[in-house]
Amino acid sequence: MKTLNRVSWCGTMVLLALSTGCSNGQSLSAKYPTQWKTCNALFGAKNMEYLQAVLDSGDLKFSNSALSVDQLKKGLTQEAIDPYDELRGFKEYETCGLSGNGRFTAMARWAADPLKSVQTNTERWQRVTADVYVADPSGVGGDVDLVFRCAIRGASGQAQVLLEARVSAPDPPRVSEEFHQQLAVKLARTLRDELSCTNKPAIPHGLDVNG
């Protein structure tokens, strides 16, 4: 990971005190307790500290609505168990959004594309492991978009076994491609563990994907 050449005073305070200290003296954890807890749980505290330093501009804020990890887990699990609604489709959950001098966003949902479509569309999807596929970044606006097989206990008629994790991050060199991919992998691995995917998908630590 490349070291930031310059970090603002406020960004330094983020790393030292885990707060912005630049928004009326109120920390992010106090102003956005649910988002703070969820983002740290899904991506890891150190990764979120680094993002805060990169994006800090004096008005750093969480831009996503409050959604706890438990609510995310329950929502995705219920969708897997319930009969599939073709009209409504699958719900998209914005798991984390951090805005300031740039923007970081991440989402999770049951994938729109079925497994067979992902397996055969080799122009869009690259197979990483037996359970994981990653989209060509050039086709998704530079995002890291991956899907992985996740079977849910009690969902005998599960309509979709592919869970999607998509992460948008500031362009290099502010955030390296390696770090961007690391965030998507961390989200996927956390979702796998939280949902207790019965097929125990093997999600690698690195993706080695180039746009």
Side-chain angles (χ1 to χ4, degrees):
M1 185 187 302
K2 295 181 180 179
T3 303
L4 289 173
N5 292 326
R6 185 175 69 87
V7 180
S8 68
W9 180 85
C10 181
T12 302
M13 293 305 293
V14 169
L15 296 174
L16 295 176
L18 300 184
S19 66
T20 65
C22 294
S23 180
N24 299 322
Q26 190 175 27
S27 69
L28 281 175
S29 58
K31 195 172 182 180
Y32 307 95
T34 302
Q35 291 93 328
W36 172 270
K37 186 175 180 180
T38 297
C39 291
N40 277 276
L42 294 177
F43 294 98
K46 289 185 178 180
N47 287 334
M48 290 307 301
E49 287 170 22
Y50 184 77
L51 280 170
Q52 288 169 55
V54 169
L55 298 176
D56 179 57
S57 62
D59 60 350
L60 197 62
K61 64 181 180 180
F62 283 107
S63 54
N64 62 307
S65 58
L67 177 71
S68 69
V69 173
D70 191 51
Q71 288 173 320
L72 174 62
K73 176 180 174 180
K74 286 181 178 179
L76 289 169
T77 299
Q78 198 60 50
E79 281 191 285
I81 294 173
D82 289 345
Y84 177 61
D85 186 330
E86 293 187 7
L87 262 170
R88 185 182 62 185
F90 294 112
K91 182 177 179 179
E92 181 173 305
Y93 300 86
E94 187 176 0
T95 60
C96 188
L98 191 62
S99 298
N101 183 25
R103 180 168 179 162
F104 162 78
T105 58
M107 58 75 68
R109 68 172 180 179
W110 291 107
D113 295 335
L115 176 60
K116 186 176 181 180
S117 175
V118 169
Q119 289 174 329
T120 56
N121 189 356
T122 54
E123 289 187 3
R124 175 181 172 87
W125 297 100
Q126 173 186 330
R127 186 173 181 175
V128 180
T129 69
D131 297 305
V132 180
Y133 296 81
V134 183
D136 179 353
S138 64
V140 287
D143 292 354
V144 177
D145 189 14
L146 66 86
V147 294
F148 63 95
R149 292 169 57 90
C150 178
I152 299 296
R153 187 181 304 279
S156 57
Q158 188 171 348
Q160 174 61 294
V161 296
L162 290 178
L163 193 64
E164 180 178 7
R166 182 167 178 165
V167 173
S168 176
D171 294 332
R174 293 172 63 205
V175 171
S176 69
E177 292 180 3
E178 292 78 12
F179 182 67
H180 191 174
Q181 292 177 19
Q182 176 185 320
L183 292 171
V185 166
K186 176 61 176 174
L187 175 59
R189 293 169 73 92
T190 305
L191 289 171
R192 174 198 62 186
D193 296 343
E194 288 291 337
L195 292 169
S196 302
C197 305
T198 59
N199 57 310
K200 299 180 180 179
I203 301 174
H205 290 284
L207 298 176
D208 192 25
V209 177
N210 297 307

